[in-house]
Amino acid sequence: MHLNYLVFLLPLLVTAIPHSTLDESKNTDTDANDVLTTTSTFSSTISTLKDLDLTSCSLNTTTLNISYNLTALSIPTTNVTLKHVALGRGTQNYTCPSPQNTTAKPTAVGALATLFDASCIASVDEDLLHHLPAIVQGIPLETLDFLATLISLAGAGEGILGEHYFTKSGQPFFDLGFGGDEGDGNWAAMKKVGSAAAPRSVDVPWLKLVAVDGAGIKEVYRVYTAGGASPATCEGHEGEFEVEYAAEYWFYG
């Protein structure tokens, strides 16, 4: 198994286990159930990770399962192949009127996320991969930023694939140069061509995007999302604010 995946995943999964405090003593039964459920998920995930053979990361036989809401997200076009799979963690960004208008709806203004290379996991256990966004979404961003820095010190191709953000003109942009593929020109400005509501209302929709400019990337799927959806109204919000999220990103070129 590649060490970088253990370095990245194990500390993150540990921090995802809820810890009770004295102030939460009135909800002892609920907290205990949450701890038991999350700990069980953590233990089974760790066990699965330890048993994986990640020495070969070929995606030649890996296929994205998008049977959920398939009619809204068309399958990849026939002339592209799967190049990368990433686990994204960051924020969906919104804005509300100032002064505050409690009946207004938040406006989406972009996103910012670190893309961790998950190609090896996708190639050997896609079901495991689909469980990771919900786990990683509960991890404090400060912890994630620290671990991302540590991983980046190992050099190109050691866990961080790239980053996702929006340009000044409002286009979703993907830069996969962190993975050591600068020579392949793996970057793209995208546009949305398909959207499917996620199974939970608190999760941002699943998307299909196609490139309008770039090199190496032609299509991107954002699926198995966790968090990131905006509140229904601007009550309690004024100006720009962030909602944390995680998701799988599948890159075709």
Side-chain angles (χ1 to χ4, degrees):
M1 177 173 187
H2 286 184
L3 180 60
N4 55 325
Y5 287 95
L6 283 176
V7 171
F8 164 53
L9 288 169
L10 299 190
L12 295 188
L13 293 173
V14 169
T15 62
I17 299 178
H19 300 280
S20 298
T21 66
L22 293 178
D23 293 336
E24 298 169 340
S25 58
K26 294 182 180 180
N27 299 316
T28 302
D29 291 341
T30 301
D31 291 339
N33 289 335
D34 288 344
V35 170
L36 287 173
T37 299
T38 308
T39 302
S40 175
T41 302
F42 166 79
S43 299
S44 62
T45 302
I46 292 299
S47 177
T48 304
L49 282 170
K50 289 171 62 179
D51 291 339
L52 290 182
D53 179 9
L54 298 182
T55 57
S56 175
C57 303
S58 172
L59 295 172
N60 290 340
T61 60
T62 303
T63 303
L64 171 60
N65 178 10
I66 52 173
S67 57
Y68 172 77
N69 241 340
L70 182 60
T71 56
L73 293 180
S74 60
I75 62 174
T77 55
T78 57
N79 63 336
V80 298
T81 58
L82 181 61
K83 298 295 187 181
H84 304 281
V85 180
L87 182 62
R89 176 67 171 90
T91 61
Q92 294 287 315
N93 304 329
Y94 302 92
T95 186
C96 281
S98 182
Q100 186 177 135
N101 180 343
T102 59
T103 61
K105 293 184 178 181
T107 300
V109 293
L112 180 63
T114 300
L115 303 174
F116 293 92
D117 193 349
S119 296
C120 286
I121 295 176
S123 69
V124 295
D125 196 330
E126 189 175 333
D127 288 339
L128 170 64
L129 175 66
H130 298 336
H131 284 89
L132 293 181
I135 296 176
V136 174
Q137 190 268 336
I139 297 163
L141 278 174
E142 295 81 2
T143 301
L144 190 77
D145 290 342
F146 174 71
L147 289 170
T149 300
L150 289 181
I151 294 172
S152 67
L153 294 177
E158 290 302 321
I160 300 178
L161 184 63
E163 60 182 349
H164 166 47
Y165 56 90
F166 275 59
T167 65
K168 291 182 179 180
S169 62
Q171 281 186 316
F173 192 93
F174 294 90
D175 177 6
L176 306 189
F178 290 28
D181 291 331
E182 294 90 341
D184 295 333
N186 279 345
W187 64 274
M190 317 292 293
K191 69 175 181 179
K192 181 177 68 176
V193 295
S195 178
R200 302 188 311 166
S201 61
V202 296
D203 303 331
V204 286
W206 297 16
L207 302 177
K208 179 180 180 179
L209 306 101
V210 297
V212 296
D213 191 14
I217 304 170
K218 299 297 183 183
E219 299 179 359
V220 177
Y221 287 82
R222 182 184 77 185
V223 293
Y224 294 93
T225 54
S230 72
T233 70
C234 285
E235 183 176 2
H237 296 282
E238 183 176 343
E240 293 190 9
F241 65 97
E242 302 172 340
V243 181
E244 297 186 9
Y245 87 108
E248 293 176 27
Y249 288 91
W250 292 62
F251 297 91
Y252 293 81

